[in-house]
Structure formats: C-alpha cells, structure tokens
Amino acid sequence: MEGTLNDASSSAIEVPQSRQQRPMLEIAGLRKRFGAVEVLRDVSLAVNPGEVVVVIGPSGSGKTTLLRCINLLEEYESGTITIDGEPIGYRFDARAGRRLRMSERDVAAARARIGMVFQSYNLFPHMSVLQNIVAAPVRVRGIERRQAEARARELLAMVGLSDKAAEYPIRLSGGQQQRVAIARALAMDPKIMLFDEITSALDPELVGEVLAAMQQLASDGMTMVVVTHEMSFARDIADLMVFMDAGVIVEEGKPDQLLFAPRTERVRAFLTRYNDRYRI
Amino acid sequence: MPFDPHFIARLIPALLDGAAVTVELAGLTMAICLVLGLLVALAHAARGPLGWIAGSYIQLVRNTPLLIQLYLVYFGFSMAGFGLSGFASGLLALCAQNGGYVAEIYRGGLQSISIRQFDAGRALGMRRWTLYTTVILPQVVARVIPPLTNQCIAIIKDTSQVAAIAVMEIMKITEVWVETSANTYDVFLGAALIYLALTSIAGLIGKLTERWLAFAQ
Amino acid sequence: MNELSPLIHSFWYLVRGAAMTVLMAASAVVPATIIGILLALLHVFGGRLTRSAILGYLFLIRGIPLLVLLTFVYYLMPLTGIDLPPFWGVVLVISLYYAAFISEAFRAGILALPQAQWDAARSLGMTRGLMLQIVILPQALRLAAPPYVSLCVSLVKATSLVSIVGLWELTMASREVVERTLAPFQIFIGAAAIYFCICYTLALYGRHLERRVLLGH
C-alpha cells in the first residue's frame, strides 16, 4: 500500500561512523547579503550526528538561504561551514588571515556527501526514476552500474515505490516524485540530508507519505536539517528546533519548549498567528 | 582604396535614396500586413471552408521562398499582360509572405491568453464585446508587439531581395556601385550601416510602443 | 494540357536543382547547428568579454540582410585570393548567418529550465561539464527542437538567394527554364511546389516534435 514503509529495511541506511563528539555540521558566523539587504546576519549552528534539526520562521527569514549556503548553492561573504570536520566551500588560511575558495572539484566532491531535496522540479524529467537515482552514483562516484541499480532498488523499496522504477517523473504524483527525490539523494550515501520545504508545493493528501519517508530516515539515524511549515510534523521529528527571523536565529531549543513555552516575544507572536489558523 | 572621402561623399546620397525606397516598401508592407494578417487570423479561427483556405494560404507562403514569389508575380503577371512594376510586384509578394507570418503571430498571441481570463470576465457579468475590448484585446496587443517588431525587422531585411527585380532600393544600388567602382568595402560598409540603422530604429520603436502600452494600462 | 508541357518537360531539370538545394541546405545546417550550440553555451557561461562579442555578432546578423552578406562575400572572394569554390563560400555565409539564430533558440531552451534542475544536479556533486552533458543540454535541446526545425525551414528557403549571386540550384534552374520557355507561371509555380514539398515535410516534423515536447518526455 502507498505510504507505508518496510520495517524490514530499518537498517537500509548506514549511519556514517564519525566520532560522536564531533558535530556533523558546524556553521559559524555566516553572513550573506543580496545587494544592500543582509539576509543572513552572523548565523551559527551546530548539528550533532544523528540529530534532526528543524528550522521554522516567517518567509524571508533566511531559512532557505541558510540551507542553500551549506552546500554552496549560494555564496556567502563571511563565516565557515564544516561538514564532519571538513570545511566546505571556503578554507580559512591562517597565514593569509582570510578565507580561500576551494576548487570547483573539491566543492563538487563535498556536495556529493550532502544530500538535498528541493521544493519542486527535483527530478530530471528526461530520465526514468531508476536512471534518476543511479545517474550521480555512476557518473560522479564511479560506482559500477549494476551495483548502483541494486542499491537504487533497495532505496525505492524503502520509500515504497519499487514498482515505479521504469516510470518517468511526469507519470508520478507530486508525493511520489518527492519520495524518489529522497531516494536519489540517499543513493549518494550522504553524511547529512537537507530538506527545503519539500512538502510545501504538494497537494495536502500527498504530504503524509513524504513526511513518513522523512520520519523513517530520522529513525534510522540520519543527520537532517529540515525547513518546513508542518508544525506537528516538526514537533514529532525534531531533536532541536530553531526559529529564524530577519536573518538571525532568534531562539533554539527542544520542540516542546520552543513551541509551547517560547522565551522570546517574536516566537510567541509567530506561533500565535500560526495557531489561529491551524492547531499544533 | 577604402575610406576615400570623396567617394563616400557621393555614395551616401545614393544609398539614402535607396533607403527611402526601402523604408517606403517596408512601411507599406508592414501597414498592409497588420490588417491582412488580422483578417487571415480571424478567418483561420473561424473554421469551416474559410478557415481551411486561410490555413492553406498560411502554409503556402511560409513554405515557399520569397524570391520565387517575387519572380512569380513580376514575370508571371507581365507575361499575362498586366505587368506590374518592380516596386508593385515587390509589395505584393512581400505582403503575401508576411501576411501569413503576421496571422500566425496574432494566433499565438490569442492562444497564449489563459482561459481563466475569459472565465473571470464572464463571472463578472461582462458581455462578449466588453470582455474582448477591455480584458482580452489589451493583453493580446501587449503580447503581440515583440514578435511583430521582429517581423518588421525581417521585412526590412527581406526588401533587399527585390533587388533581383531591379528595384532601386539599398541592395540594388549597392550592386550597381560595386560593379562600377573599385571601392567594394566602402559600398558594402555603407549598405550594412544603413540596414543596421533601419533595423535598430524599428527595434527601438517596438520597445517604445511596448513601454507606452504598459504605461497606458 | 499543353499549358503544363513546359513544366513537364523541364521537371526533371528542376528536380536536379532541388537536389542541389537540399545538398546546399544540408551542408549549411551541420556547421550552423554546431556553431549555434557552442555560441549558446558561450553566451550563457562566458565571461563579459565573450558575451559582448557574441552580442555584437548577433546584432550584426540580426540587422543585415543575408543577401548583402552573400553578395559581399561573392565580390570579396576573388580579392582576398582565397581559393574557395563558390559553393562552399555561400554555404559558409549561410551557416554563420543561421548559427546566430540557432544559438538564440538553444539559449532560450537552456534558460527555460527551472533553477531546481541546476540545483539538483549541483547538489548531487556533478561538475559543470557532467551537469551540462546529462541534465541541462538533453532538456534544453528538446525544448529548442521546434524553433530549431523552423529555422531549418527558413534556411532551406534562404538557399534561393544564392541564385542572385550566380550559383545554381532550384531557383536558378527555374529562371533558366523560364528564359528558355517563356512560361513563368507554370515554371515558378512548379518550383514553388517543389520547395513546398521539402519545407512542409520539415515543418510537419517540427510540429510532431513540438507535440512530443509538450507531452513531457
């Protein structure tokens, strides 16, 4: 049946065995401007291995920009980002006293270890589902095709879409496409997964199946940073919740604490407006 | 040899005379085609036998070269007894060709209007006439200006082909001067510059029209 | 029926002319397409100097009639001493002319892709080269296929212009026959019909491609 996941594949993902005390993702002093506007103002965040961090906040708060800076889809003016101890995008040169841009090849290699799923138009429409999933492992990581295809089928089974391997994206529903997008990102064996409002463009009845897939991923121990509007889902899945507004992290804390006993007025105002329309 | 100022002083008025003919020819063609294209587009949209005739006409002129149409009109008509001048033949052929293209531009413009515009207007209680004149037509006009500008530029360039039937526009004058003088570069440079000027002006008029229309709304 | 006899007698001659037309068009289309794709890529990804150069090139091609360029090369060739057969001379000019339009069609295709396609490819760790090869270009070329075919039709028609500078193909052949038989109507209509067969077939293929593009892949 659609939407349910195999319990048998609970260990389908291998959690990277990094030392538990080192954060998987470290963002320090991130600053970014678009022209005259500062969209990220001295943002710092640490995410431990296996942790799920959910970022919430009003639109324009910089949450999507923050996500996109992590794998350098956006450039930023200052700050450092480290994945599992390795800097990404820029290396700080102590001798020169400033940051140096890493080569395109290094950046691409770093991106390969970060999985990202977008709001829409994720999949490559001219390739079948299976081709979508194996394209990067084969062409970027040099994995043998047969091996990549076997892994792809495993991942498709995990998201409940085994029978869609030969289909083209245009024949899938929005929810199915997003689940394939998750499988495709997982095929690269990422250390961390980024989700940029991946259910926002979906019809309501398709949202559940995608959230279930993300829930499964979290239970399997994947490190995740999620930007979402789905508050009850955020509460269920998050180990840490972060509230952003106008380019700064206003407050962070455990979900129940942030949602029901926020310390700052801005968070309270945001949640009240949210609660007037929905229930958490 | 190149850039002989005396030569250029004699060349420019000659080229400008040719430019006058070019502008006249292109201007008349554009004016006629705006109307002709609209009629053909309406006929095409009407379905039935009239629609089929309009559709065939469009396919015919789009899939045959302008030069053949020029020769057909010029030599064909003179053989039949009512010979047309080079200019008249050129005008007829140019209008025939570009009428088809303009009709397709109108069709594209109308098709690109979302069906919801019609629904929205009707939901507001508008009758057909009001709907078309206040909602649909302004949008069609706005969408149609850029491709029409491009078509105008194409027409200006197409006028060069009437040199083949001895009309004294820019291309023909260029030919004559190149044949009778040694300053090949100067003559072609002059011709190229004039064509660039004419097409740039046409493009500019198009952009200004777009902006003026957007402002007027 | 003896009205048609000049056409029937010369039909085979015209068909041979058409063969030359097709040969010329095919010879020009290949370099035009290759150069067009390269120009499109340079235009999208190139530095400021490259892009300015390409914009200048596009401006010249857009504003100067093909006939002027053909005539210019025709007069220029003997002067430069380059020993190029006329056939390849005109093929070169036509290729360079249409490469500009083709590059704009491909560039539009590239730019029409949603940003998420670029993001998704980059986030999977693809380098720019790989990304272009398996994600961007396959989609962009499919999107650009309908206008590209349209340009090919235009190119076939443009070969008629080489008759004005004295090269032999269908239009020149039909002029020769008309001079001999003094039956311009029949012969030019016959030539038009042959052009129509070639171009309409191409146009139908273009429409078939358009429908495939709209339907997804």
Side-chain angles (χ1 to χ4, degrees):
Chain A
M1 189 166 88
E2 289 274 56
T4 56
L5 299 161
N6 286 331
D7 296 311
S9 60
S10 60
S11 304
I13 306 171
E14 289 175 22
V15 180
Q17 293 303 312
S18 47
R19 291 186 291 282
Q20 294 301 86
Q21 62 265 39
R22 178 165 73 187
M24 182 59 78
L25 168 66
E26 253 193 302
I27 303 172
L30 200 58
R31 284 186 188 279
K32 178 175 175 58
R33 31 170 21 106
F34 269 136
V37 184
E38 254 201 305
V39 292
L40 289 176
R41 300 194 263 167
D42 201 13
V43 175
S44 300
L45 180 68
V47 181
N48 292 314
E51 222 180 359
V52 176
V53 173
V54 175
V55 183
I56 61 170
S59 35
S61 56
K63 1 189 249 295
T64 293
T65 313
L66 177 65
L67 221 57
R68 290 169 64 90
C69 283
I70 295 176
N71 65 353
L72 220 70
L73 290 184
E74 301 277 357
E75 299 288 334
Y76 45 93
E77 279 74 51
S78 64
T80 54
I81 301 182
T82 318
I83 304 281
D84 201 13
E86 292 292 321
I88 174 175
Y90 296 91
R91 214 183 279 281
F92 189 77
D93 187 347
R95 272 182 303 145
R98 58 185 171 80
R99 65 178 195 170
L100 295 172
R101 184 83 156 84
M102 292 162 68
S103 71
E104 276 315 300
R105 193 187 315 161
D106 288 341
V107 173
R111 286 197 187 121
R113 304 314 303 269
I114 303 171
M116 187 160 183
V117 185
F118 304 88
Q119 196 171 10
S120 52
Y121 297 113
N122 269 294
L123 302 182
F124 305 135
H126 58 300
M127 299 185 194
S128 72
V129 162
L130 193 70
Q131 287 166 342
N132 257 282
I133 300 179
V134 303
V138 169
R139 301 298 296 265
V140 176
R141 297 187 67 192
I143 295 176
E144 199 214 316
R145 182 165 285 269
R146 213 173 320 159
Q147 197 183 336
E149 283 187 7
R151 178 90 179 108
R153 291 188 196 278
E154 260 177 51
L155 292 167
L156 277 176
M158 192 186 83
V159 295
L161 291 170
S162 301
D163 55 332
K164 302 287 185 193
E167 291 281 5
Y168 279 78
I170 197 171
R171 306 271 299 239
L172 303 181
S173 75
Q176 290 168 331
Q177 288 180 29
Q178 294 298 64
R179 283 188 277 156
V180 172
I182 294 175
R184 182 178 68 175
L186 289 173
M188 290 295 278
D189 249 337
K191 298 183 182 180
I192 181 172
M193 286 281 283
L194 309 175
F195 297 86
D196 186 8
E197 300 202 33
I198 77 171
T199 57
S200 296
L202 294 180
D203 290 336
E205 67 267 18
L206 301 173
V207 169
E209 65 201 47
V210 178
L211 297 182
M214 291 169 73
Q215 187 68 273
Q216 172 77 47
L217 220 57
S219 323
D220 288 344
M222 174 61 76
T223 316
M224 297 162 60
V225 181
V226 180
V227 173
T228 186
H229 292 313
E230 303 280 340
M231 291 303 179
S232 43
F233 170 72
R235 183 191 173 198
D236 290 338
I237 197 179
D239 297 314
L240 179 74
M241 271 185 85
V242 169
F243 180 85
M244 276 188 76
D245 193 6
V248 283
I249 292 181
V250 175
E251 195 177 328
E252 59 182 81
K254 292 231 172 300
D256 279 343
Q257 181 258 298
L258 192 82
L259 289 173
F260 298 119
R263 291 190 294 268
T264 33
E265 181 52 41
R266 266 149 105 188
V267 182
R268 251 194 293 268
F270 175 77
L271 290 173
T272 320
R273 265 187 318 218
Y274 188 88
N275 241 340
D276 287 340
R277 302 178 62 205
Y278 313 96
R279 306 252 153 247
I280 293 185
Chain B
M1 209 190 321
F3 302 130
D4 171 10
H6 296 295
F7 180 75
I8 293 180
R10 284 184 300 128
L11 173 67
I12 291 184
L15 282 178
L16 287 178
D17 281 340
V21 177
T22 297
V23 171
E24 200 184 335
L25 193 51
L28 281 172
T29 304
M30 193 65 197
I32 294 175
C33 282
L34 283 176
V35 177
L36 175 63
L38 184 61
L39 294 173
V40 172
L42 290 173
H44 196 194
R47 311 289 139 143
L50 193 62
W52 185 85
I53 294 175
S56 309
Y57 159 74
I58 294 176
Q59 289 308 316
L60 239 112
V61 292
R62 286 182 62 165
N63 292 301
T64 49
L66 176 65
L67 195 56
I68 294 284
Q69 294 169 22
L70 273 171
Y71 286 151
L72 187 58
V73 171
Y74 187 63
F75 294 113
F77 279 30
S78 73
M79 188 100 314
F82 41 95
L84 291 173
S85 73
F87 187 92
S89 309
L91 185 62
L92 185 57
L94 279 167
C95 288
Q97 254 263 322
N98 289 285
Y101 282 106
V102 172
E104 287 290 87
I105 290 174
Y106 285 137
R107 184 171 71 101
L110 190 58
Q111 268 186 354
S112 70
I113 307 291
S114 154
I115 193 86
R116 282 182 219 160
Q117 296 289 309
F118 291 89
D119 290 345
R122 282 205 299 239
L124 286 167
M126 286 186 183
R127 311 234 325 265
R128 220 113 162 265
W129 176 253
T130 323
L131 176 63
Y132 273 93
T133 53
T134 62
V135 176
I136 306 297
L137 237 44
Q139 289 187 58
V140 173
V141 168
R143 262 166 235 231
V144 131
I145 299 287
L148 281 181
T149 310
N150 284 335
Q151 198 61 39
C152 187
I153 292 176
I155 291 174
I156 294 173
K157 298 204 295 181
D158 279 348
T159 57
S160 62
Q161 295 185 36
V162 306
I165 52 179
V167 176
M168 282 302 189
E169 45 66 64
I170 302 174
M171 184 67 228
K172 187 65 184 167
I173 293 184
T174 306
E175 228 180 274
V176 166
W177 277 68
V178 167
E179 289 279 344
T180 60
S181 78
N183 292 348
T184 323
Y185 291 110
D186 287 345
V187 184
F188 277 113
L189 187 62
L193 286 173
I194 293 195
Y195 273 117
L196 284 172
L198 290 176
T199 52
S200 301
I201 293 173
L204 201 63
I205 295 179
K207 279 244 170 71
L208 290 175
T209 315
E210 254 184 276
R211 228 168 279 174
W212 177 78
L213 274 172
F215 183 70
Q217 284 184 332
Chain C
M1 210 44 188
N2 74 330
E3 302 283 302
L4 282 178
S5 65
L7 178 58
I8 295 174
H9 283 178
S10 319
F11 194 69
W12 185 239
Y13 189 61
L14 292 180
V15 170
R16 277 170 44 208
M20 179 56 93
T21 291
V22 171
L23 182 64
M24 215 178 261
S27 307
V29 140
V30 173
T33 307
I34 296 174
I35 298 175
I37 296 181
L38 285 172
L39 282 178
L41 290 173
L42 285 172
H43 197 170
V44 174
F45 298 111
R48 189 177 301 173
L49 202 60
T50 318
R51 275 180 297 152
S52 303
I54 294 181
L55 283 171
Y57 179 70
L58 293 175
F59 174 67
L60 289 176
I61 299 288
R62 205 187 175 220
I64 302 178
L66 177 58
L67 186 55
V68 173
L69 296 171
L70 279 171
T71 317
F72 179 56
V73 171
Y74 173 76
Y75 281 101
L76 185 63
M77 271 296 128
L79 294 178
T80 59
I82 301 176
D83 195 15
L84 193 65
F87 177 87
W88 292 109
V90 299
V91 163
L92 183 67
V93 177
I94 294 178
S95 304
L96 290 175
Y97 188 80
Y98 276 92
F101 296 104
I102 289 175
S103 84
E104 283 295 270
F106 285 139
R107 189 173 78 105
I110 293 175
L111 296 178
L113 294 181
Q115 177 68 27
Q117 289 291 299
W118 301 81
D119 289 343
R122 278 193 298 168
S123 72
L124 287 168
M126 293 190 196
T127 52
R128 178 185 282 178
L130 182 63
M131 181 167 71
L132 280 174
Q133 190 190 341
I134 68 176
V135 176
I136 304 298
L137 283 182
Q139 294 187 64
L141 292 181
R142 277 175 174 80
L143 273 176
Y148 170 72
V149 172
S150 208
L151 285 170
C152 290
V153 170
S154 181
L155 195 154
V156 170
K157 296 198 298 176
T159 57
S160 62
L161 296 182
V162 307
S163 64
I164 300 181
V165 291
L167 272 91
W168 191 83
E169 40 62 71
L170 177 53
T171 304
M172 178 62 109
S174 53
R175 273 175 58 187
E176 289 176 345
V177 174
V178 167
E179 251 164 74
R180 224 172 9 91
T181 63
L182 300 179
F185 257 141
Q186 298 92 312
I187 303 302
F188 284 130
I189 289 184
I194 297 178
Y195 271 114
F196 184 82
C197 289
I198 302 173
C199 294
Y200 192 57
T201 316
L202 267 176
L204 282 179
Y205 182 61
R207 261 192 284 182
H208 165 78
L209 283 180
E210 197 162 357
R211 248 173 286 138
R212 271 193 66 195
V213 165
L214 285 176
L215 239 42
H217 308 283

